[in-house]
Amino acid sequence: MEVPIAPTQSQNQDDQQSTGDTKEEGWCNWWTRSSFDMLRTLEKRILSYIKTPYRGSFVDVGACVGEADKIWTIALNTESPNVPLVLLHGLGAGVALWVLNLDELARDRPVYAIDILGFGRSSRPKFESDALIVEKQLVKSIEDWRQEAGLKKMVLLGHSMGGFLAASYALSYPERLCHLILADPWGFPEKPKDFDSTVKIRFWVKPIIALSKMLNPLWVIRMAGPYGASLVDRFRADIVQKFSPMISDGTYISGYIHQCNARDPTGEAAFHAMMKDFGWAKNPMIKRIVDLKPTVPITMLYGAQSWVMRTGPIDTLKLMRSGSYVKVQLIENAGHHIYADDAPTFNRLVNAACQATERLNNEQLKQ
């Protein structure tokens, strides 16, 4: 049985206070209307819609990247003896955006969702600027978190940027994984050499793309200052709408996304260091994932309407890992945010992957 996170006094105290990161600039907080307390309040309001009891705590990973880093974690059904499922969110997100998934995913096993270091309520240390070093720093923070959380082995699920990091973690620590689940992962394919010349881009989009190469991807939210939340609500109403079946007040979602991204964007800067252009990584994962230990099963879930390029990576992965477990499934009515676009199907496929892992483990124990 896995050891759950111990509810220490310091962690409970951190639930009431900040992460101890006091280096944020005051003017930025004033201009963006960002508040650690507001982020905490909005997260709690969103998570109040789930039925499964959960516990939130800061897991102290020490001098991982900064001087005293802490990773915000929510844990559900930790008493279950089954292999735990660990969730890594995408760029600009946080633990609360798994609200449509947590009840179903935690029905038969422990589930842990973390705010990746540099995002959400976790510490926001300054990362290096080299792409590979940044990637290693983020992967190390996940491993340090696993050790502190007391998890021996886990099923690791990552969405988008979280999928890229989950794959990188699997390459470094394959012995810790029972299954790798990649949900519309970012950063797998190489950028086609003829992309810029063959893809037609509207003239007004080109300056935005140019700025995205120089600035952090979500800079506009902070530039908008006190109007950041309404900006999310107006221009990304599609994301807010995804949660409407459960959460009638869409301001919770837009406000939460704003608060997640209005503070010091160190995690966003880390992503910026790893990206070549927004859609591609400087060090594409497809070149490396083929070296993953063959005993680690891989399930890849893609939205059929997603912008993420999948054909090349899927074909390459299946070819190079022909003797290993590789399962690829499309969710027809979903785009990039497959966990929210069609949550019931997403939950069912993830649970099926976890159950396959448990069956495989039981068969190995009998041998």
Side-chain angles (χ1 to χ4, degrees), residues 25-330:
E25 298 181 22
W27 70 266
C28 182
N29 289 336
W30 173 83
W31 171 245
T32 62
R33 300 296 191 269
S34 62
S35 160
F36 190 88
D37 288 339
M38 181 58 71
L39 175 57
R40 176 177 179 269
T41 297
L42 287 167
E43 178 192 288
K44 291 175 73 69
R45 285 178 180 174
I46 295 170
L47 293 179
S48 69
Y49 285 85
I50 66 174
K51 299 176 182 178
T52 308
Y54 75 92
R55 181 176 60 205
S57 57
F58 287 101
V59 175
D60 192 340
V61 294
C64 181
V65 177
E67 296 177 356
D69 294 327
K70 297 175 183 177
I71 294 180
W72 176 245
T73 305
I74 61 171
L76 304 87
N77 194 16
T78 54
E79 296 79 12
S80 171
N82 291 327
V83 177
L85 171 65
V86 176
L87 307 176
L88 302 180
H89 61 76
L91 176 70
V95 297
L97 294 189
W98 297 109
V99 65
L100 302 177
N101 319 107
L102 292 171
D103 281 326
E104 281 300 308
L105 298 183
R107 185 181 57 202
D108 299 318
R109 65 191 51 82
V111 170
Y112 297 84
I114 69 172
D115 281 344
I116 295 171
L117 196 64
F119 294 90
R121 294 176 63 184
S122 291
S123 298
R124 302 202 173 203
K126 184 177 180 181
F127 293 86
E128 295 290 338
S129 57
D130 179 85
L132 283 176
I133 295 177
V134 167
E135 183 182 325
K136 290 179 180 178
Q137 287 180 313
L138 287 165
V139 167
K140 182 179 182 297
S141 73
I142 297 169
E143 171 59 10
D144 289 352
W145 172 87
R146 181 202 63 78
Q147 293 180 23
E148 293 298 324
L151 305 184
K152 293 180 180 179
K153 299 194 76 171
M154 59 187 173
V155 175
L156 186 60
L157 184 158
H159 170 252
S160 193
M161 177 197 72
F164 181 82
L165 295 177
S168 183
Y169 178 92
L171 287 168
S172 297
Y173 305 98
E175 70 282 359
R176 297 301 179 188
L177 295 189
C178 294
H179 204 127
L180 175 64
I181 304 177
L182 304 174
D184 224 57
W186 171 85
F188 267 65
E190 295 184 79
K191 182 179 180 180
K193 294 180 180 179
D194 60 348
F195 180 83
D196 292 331
S197 60
T198 58
V199 176
K200 295 182 179 180
I201 302 175
R202 295 181 181 180
F203 74 93
W204 59 269
V205 176
K206 292 182 178 180
I208 298 176
I209 294 176
L211 276 174
S212 72
K213 295 180 180 180
M214 296 183 291
L215 304 174
N216 290 329
L218 302 176
W219 61 273
V220 67
I221 291 179
R222 290 176 293 278
M223 185 187 72
Y227 304 102
S230 59
L231 194 70
V232 173
D233 200 30
R234 180 178 178 182
F235 290 99
R236 291 314 311 262
D238 59 314
I239 294 180
V240 176
Q241 184 64 27
K242 298 177 195 299
F243 296 88
S244 59
M246 178 180 283
I247 302 174
S248 57
D249 191 339
T251 61
Y252 290 175
I253 299 297
S254 58
Y256 176 74
I257 293 173
H258 170 243
Q259 290 294 326
C260 278
N261 296 289
R263 296 170 60 216
D264 191 8
T266 65
E268 199 179 316
F271 175 82
H272 187 266
M274 294 188 294
M275 76 179 200
K276 184 175 183 179
D277 288 323
F278 185 80
W280 292 273
K282 290 179 180 176
N283 299 289
M285 189 55 64
I286 196 60
K287 290 183 175 182
R288 299 178 282 159
I289 195 65
V290 293
D291 296 325
L292 177 61
K293 191 174 179 180
T295 54
V296 178
I298 300 177
T299 292
M300 304 186 79
L301 305 176
Y302 284 95
Q305 302 169 29
S306 174
W307 56 266
V308 171
M309 187 182 298
R310 58 183 179 271
T311 304
I314 289 176
D315 295 341
T316 302
L317 192 60
K318 284 185 173 181
L319 179 64
M320 299 301 292
R321 290 176 59 86
S322 58
S324 302
Y325 181 101
V326 178
K327 190 167 187 177
V328 181
Q329 294 178 293
L330 287 180

